[in-house]
């Protein structure tokens, strides 16, 4: 029965492609409508912690991600001068997966796109949603291309600015919350000493180094940015160089390479706190559309991939969509909230807001790894 379930995925980013792949493995060939053209991927690189790698393993793309990426076991901590002062131990690795894998967004996208295509998904690129009517028994959809079809389930993996979230839950959920912080990311050649994750703590900003492959890496710099300023890309190099000016060691060497705006991405740090449930009838939003978080745990894409794997698993066990979506919330809500809360706490801590004592907070930097070590 579930083999004939008709699923439309709105958004062919990390979560949407993961869901198409996971459903295809279970005999359900989904339709994927993606606003962008096939070849465009925005952004630089990603850190994939061990729980993301476990989910990618279930999609059959782990080996490819590890082959093109750069695995590392721990983060090394430094002060702004470059003086090493400790490691961040992690429990997210296992004999089957490393603790972390750095990977370019393009490589991850291509691996997921191939997996979804192999799994039988049909793609409509350059396509968005034009209209949707939930009849209770099914959902009638019209796409911007003019194509109309009926589906048993519509899944919005349409990202942090999800239109679907807004149309389901109202205008007040149109805009994500701005945290007052922003991040520059800069892609460059990898010096041999960048052989794992490294963090450098300055007074007004935090800098991170992430190896992405044998030859490439990215540097990120998180900083306060009151008022969410709109910056012209031509100013990116000078602004990033200014931010990095107080740092020593390898960061100072990398600063000398910061010249070309095309190598730099600037992103405001935003969050989405959509109350439960994330569905109305037969339409659900997942990934960033439902629970975008600050990137401080590097768990946003991980949570989107896990959402996809869990949803596909539940769909393959039942074709009763209301029951599936209820079970989905039960499996996903507290884990995604924990990631959001701890990511937010870490962001605030960097801004000088004291981290709550373990006894005052449900989820803390101390217990998040225990939660994420559990199956999704
Ligand atoms: C600075 C920064 C650093 C990050 N670093 C990490 C990291 O190291 N590790 C990690 O796990 N996560 C990280 N993240 C988070 C991660 O990028 C997101 O959580 C992840 O991409 C969410 O996946 P998604 O599928 O929900 O959304 P996306 O990957 O954003 O995909 C959404 C897709 O929907 C499409 N779309 C939008 N609107 C429509 C529409 N109306 N119709 C059709 N298609 C539409 C978009 O074009 C896009 O392809 C970071 C985020 C930021 C901002």
């Amino acid at each position: 029965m579930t083999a004939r379930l008709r699923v439309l995925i709105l958004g062919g980013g990390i979560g949407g492609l993961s869901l198409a792949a996971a459903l295809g493995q279970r005999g359900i060939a989904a339709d994927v409508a993606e606003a962008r053209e096939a070849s465009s991927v925005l952004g630089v690189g990603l850190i994939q912690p061990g729980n993301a790698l476990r989910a990618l393993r279930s999609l059959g793309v782990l080996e490819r991600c590890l082959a093109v990426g750069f695995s590392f076991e721990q983060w090394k901590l430094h002060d702004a001068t470059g003086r090493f002062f400790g490691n961040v131990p992690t429990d997210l690795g296992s004999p089957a997966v490393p603790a972390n894998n750095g990977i370019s967004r393009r490589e991850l996208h291509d691996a997921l796109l191939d997996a979804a295509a192999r799994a039988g998904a049909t793609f409509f690129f350059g396509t968005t949603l034009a209209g949707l009517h939930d009849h209770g028994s099914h959902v009638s959809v019209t796409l911007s291309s003019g194509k109309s079809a009926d589906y048993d389930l519509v899944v919005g993996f349409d990202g942090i600015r999800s239109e679907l979230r807004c149309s389901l839950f109202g205008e007040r959920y149109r805009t994500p919350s701005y945290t007052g912080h922003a991040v520059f990311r800069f892609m460059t050649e990898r010096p041999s000493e960048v052989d794992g994750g490294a963090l450098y703590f300055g007074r007004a900003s935090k800098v991170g180094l992430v190896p992405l492959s044998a030859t490439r890496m990215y540097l990120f710099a998180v900083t306060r940015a009151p008022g969410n300023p709109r910056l012209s890309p031509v100013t990116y190099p000078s602004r990033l160089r200014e931010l990095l000016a107080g740092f020593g060691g390898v960061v100072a060497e990398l600063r000398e390479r910061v010249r070309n705006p095309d190598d730099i991405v600037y992103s405001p740090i935003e969050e989405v706190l959509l109350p439960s449930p994330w569905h109305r009838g037969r339409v659900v939003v997942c990934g960033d559309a439902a629970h975008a978080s600050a990137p401080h745990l590097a768990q946003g894409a991980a949570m989107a991939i896990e959402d996809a794997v869990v949803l596909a698993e539940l769909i393959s066990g039942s074709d009763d969509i209301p029951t599936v979506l209820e079970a989905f919330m039960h499996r996903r809500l507290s884990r995604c909230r924990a990631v959001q809360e701890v990511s937010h706490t870490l962001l605030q801590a960097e801004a000088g807001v004291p981290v709550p004592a373990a006894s005052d907070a449900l989820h803390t930097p101390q217990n998040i790894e225990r939660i994420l070590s559990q199956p999704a």
Side-chain angles (χ1 to χ4, degrees):
M1 185 85 176
T2 49
R4 289 205 211 105
L5 207 79
R6 299 157 302 175
V7 180
L8 172 67
I9 303 168
L10 194 65
I14 294 172
L17 293 175
S18 298
L19 179 60
L23 286 173
Q25 287 176 332
R26 293 163 173 86
I28 300 168
D31 285 351
V32 182
E34 163 55 44
R36 283 188 247 149
E37 296 304 330
S39 58
S40 58
V41 177
L42 296 179
V44 181
L46 273 175
I47 304 145
Q48 305 180 301
N51 58 309
L53 297 172
R54 291 201 303 271
L56 290 168
R57 184 164 63 136
S58 78
L59 298 179
V61 295
L62 175 67
E63 283 185 7
R64 178 163 165 180
C65 289
L66 296 182
V68 296
F70 193 108
S71 301
F72 58 95
E73 287 303 313
Q74 57 193 358
W75 287 89
K76 291 180 185 167
L77 306 181
H78 308 79
D79 65 17
T81 67
R83 190 184 59 83
F84 170 79
F85 65 84
N87 288 311
V88 183
T90 171
D91 290 333
L92 292 181
S94 71
V97 297
N100 296 285
N101 187 52
I103 191 169
S104 89
R105 283 186 184 249
R106 159 58 66 192
E107 295 284 5
L108 176 61
H109 180 85
D110 288 352
L112 292 173
L113 187 63
D114 287 352
R118 270 197 314 276
T122 301
F123 299 99
F124 304 107
F125 289 107
T127 302
T128 61
L129 188 67
L132 175 150
H133 184 70
D134 189 340
H135 301 276
S137 56
H138 64 280
V139 188
S140 297
V141 167
T142 307
L143 297 177
S144 57
S145 58
K147 174 187 155 68
S148 295
D150 291 340
Y151 293 96
D152 299 295
L153 174 67
V154 175
V155 184
F157 261 116
D158 52 340
I160 193 164
R161 286 175 212 293
S162 168
E163 286 281 338
L164 191 60
R165 175 182 70 232
C166 178
S167 68
L168 285 182
F169 301 102
E171 272 301 315
R172 70 198 193 98
Y173 294 108
R174 177 175 291 283
T175 315
S177 317
Y178 179 55
T179 60
H181 290 70
V183 55
F184 286 93
R185 284 168 289 170
F186 167 61
M187 186 96 141
T188 186
E189 296 299 306
R190 182 179 71 82
S192 56
E193 64 259 50
V194 180
D195 56 0
L199 294 175
Y200 298 77
F201 294 89
R203 261 191 306 123
S205 57
K206 175 184 80 174
V207 172
L209 307 181
V210 182
L212 290 178
S213 71
T215 56
R216 304 289 282 166
M217 63 158 285
Y218 76 98
L219 171 153
F220 65 83
V222 182
T223 186
R224 285 176 222 177
N228 200 1
R230 300 220 162 228
L231 305 183
S232 163
V234 292
T235 68
Y236 290 173
S238 59
R239 288 175 187 273
L240 180 54
R241 285 169 66 88
E242 195 181 318
L243 265 184
L244 301 179
F247 289 84
V250 68
V251 177
E253 289 165 32
L254 293 170
R255 177 178 178 269
E256 294 309 309
R257 302 182 188 180
V258 176
R259 309 222 169 268
N260 185 350
D262 293 344
D263 296 335
I264 303 170
V265 175
Y266 174 81
S267 313
I269 297 180
E270 298 171 310
E271 299 168 320
V272 170
L273 279 166
L274 183 64
S276 169
W278 302 330
H279 57 88
R280 287 276 187 276
R282 291 174 171 267
V283 186
V284 62
V285 290
C286 300
D288 273 9
H291 50 71
S293 58
H296 288 59
L297 287 173
Q299 281 288 342
M303 289 299 105
I305 300 166
E306 286 187 358
D307 280 355
V309 170
V310 169
L311 187 57
E313 185 188 313
L314 293 169
I315 289 171
S316 68
S318 165
D319 55 10
D320 180 40
I321 295 299
T323 307
V324 163
L325 294 180
E326 206 175 303
F328 178 71
M329 287 312 301
H330 187 69
R331 287 269 296 271
R332 297 303 297 156
L333 182 65
S334 71
R335 188 170 172 107
C336 294
R337 283 282 182 269
V339 164
Q340 290 192 291
E341 283 172 28
V342 174
S343 302
H344 190 83
T345 300
L346 292 171
L347 178 139
Q348 285 193 308
E350 284 168 22
V353 179
V355 176
S359 55
D360 297 338
L362 194 54
H363 304 300
T364 64
Q366 292 78 27
N367 73 15
I368 189 70
E369 284 218 337
R370 187 176 46 72
I371 294 168
L372 294 174
S373 308
Q374 303 301 315

